[in-house]
Amino acid sequence: MAHAAHHPTALSVNLNKVALVRNTRHLGIPSVTRAATLCLEAGARGITVHPRPDERHIRRHDVFELAELMQAWPDREYNIEGNPFHNLMDIAREVRARGLPLHQLTFVPDSEGQFTSDHGWSFPQDAERLRPVIAQAQALGARVSLFMDPEPVQMAAARAVGADRVELYTEPYAAAWHTPDCAHQLERYRAAAQAALEAGLGVNAGHDLNRENLTEFLRTVPGVSEVSIGHALIADALELGYAATVTDYNHRIAEAFR
Ligand SMILES: CC(=O)[C@@H](O)[C@H](O)COP(=O)(O)O
Ligand SMILES: NCC(=O)COP(=O)(O)O
């Protein structure tokens, strides 16, 4: 079996955009499961999908097919993202009812038709409705990560409702890359991650990370356990192929820790 790249931050490849292209014909190509296999063989530590209610890309059957595939990769992780008040928990319960692996659920407060994810949960407003569904997800055996804006003051509240991790929404950093605002944004994420770690949370990160902005982020922001990357990585794979792309992203991660 191919070995996962081992450095402090795991690379989880989000396959939404493979499914998006696949859905434009009734031919089943590009294959989502083949993309997962090639990424895992190249050293990706996990696979992420976001089965949105409108099934614009990842469809319900993709989730179960990937879960079946992940059985052959016991040292890798499967992360399913979504809004727990829409379709996510029903999908998670079905994955577990089939006895299939599910390592992490990432709760994202997206509306059903939202263009893309663009904000995190808010406390105290979301606390009471999140608490029970976090417990339900953990009872399924999944780690729960809350998609959050990089606000240090929100981290203790995320922990208080039972979350295991937060995923820092990184679009504002990505948008500031190579602008005068970049240092300020990096400091926001550094402080938010520090606050999360001090609250007893694990730290994930994602959204618009790419080959150029990844290393600096991981050099600056402490304790990032996982980055989930999809859009830019799949765009790169259209040029370089999955294996070379995953290898390159893992090199960029490793560079942050040299
Ligand atoms: C939560 C997040 O930032 C992404 O993982 C999300 O999956 C992106 O969704 P689209 O691929 O539909 O833009
Ligand atoms: N949680 C972020 C993710 O899975 C992928 O986001 P993006 O790289 O497609 O922006």
Side-chain angles (χ1 to χ4, degrees):
M1 175 185 295
H3 293 287
H6 279 288
H7 30 61
T9 301
L11 171 65
S12 185
V13 175
N14 182 309
L15 297 176
N16 292 354
K17 301 302 160 49
V18 179
L20 190 69
V21 175
R22 189 267 323 269
N23 291 352
T24 55
R25 290 286 175 88
H26 303 296
L27 301 174
I29 55 171
S31 162
V32 171
T33 51
R34 175 143 179 82
T37 297
L38 292 171
C39 290
L40 292 165
E41 286 177 346
R45 291 254 291 279
I47 295 297
T48 291
V49 291
H50 191 146
R52 294 182 179 274
D54 63 12
E55 293 200 321
R56 68 188 72 169
H57 40 55
I58 292 290
R59 292 173 170 160
R60 194 178 172 92
H61 69 81
D62 291 313
V63 177
F64 304 126
E65 289 162 12
L66 286 166
E68 284 168 14
L69 183 145
M70 293 305 289
Q71 295 177 107
W73 297 91
D75 64 334
R76 318 295 170 88
E77 288 206 350
Y78 190 31
N79 173 42
I80 307 176
E81 301 182 328
N83 188 319
F85 306 111
H86 296 161
N87 60 337
L88 180 68
M89 292 306 292
D90 177 51
I91 289 171
R93 280 188 282 268
E94 179 63 23
V95 169
R96 298 301 294 138
R98 297 186 187 193
L100 297 173
L102 169 52
H103 301 91
Q104 180 171 270
L105 288 170
T106 299
F107 288 179
V108 188
D110 284 2
S111 61
E112 299 214 4
Q114 195 162 315
F115 177 68
T116 188
S117 309
D118 62 9
H119 65 281
W121 298 97
S122 295
F123 294 99
Q125 301 88 318
D126 294 324
E128 286 325 302
R129 66 183 183 130
L130 276 174
R131 190 188 307 278
V133 72
I134 289 170
Q136 290 163 26
Q138 291 167 335
L140 293 172
R143 176 194 317 127
V144 173
S145 178
L146 296 181
F147 198 61
M148 298 291 290
D149 299 305
E151 304 297 342
V153 296
Q154 295 270 306
M155 297 308 156
R159 184 68 186 135
V161 293
D164 301 293
R165 293 190 185 176
V166 291
E167 177 178 341
L168 299 180
Y169 167 53
T170 48
E171 190 278 340
Y173 161 69
W177 178 249
H178 277 181
T179 76
D181 190 37
C182 192
H184 164 70
Q185 288 298 334
L186 272 171
E187 175 51 27
R188 285 183 72 205
Y189 287 88
R190 190 206 59 74
Q194 190 61 42
L197 295 168
E198 288 168 1
L201 290 160
V203 177
N204 294 346
H207 205 96
D208 284 344
L209 294 174
N210 60 42
R211 279 192 284 177
E212 283 67 41
N213 64 29
L214 183 54
T215 302
E216 187 60 25
F217 183 85
L218 294 177
R219 274 202 189 107
T220 309
V221 180
V224 178
S225 298
E226 175 190 285
V227 287
S228 45
I229 308 177
H231 194 90
L233 189 150
I234 299 303
D236 289 331
L238 290 174
E239 292 179 39
L240 305 171
Y242 294 118
T245 298
V246 167
T247 300
D248 184 44
Y249 274 73
N250 274 323
H251 285 162
R252 311 266 180 161
I253 293 173
E255 201 178 314
F257 300 98
R258 285 202 184 99

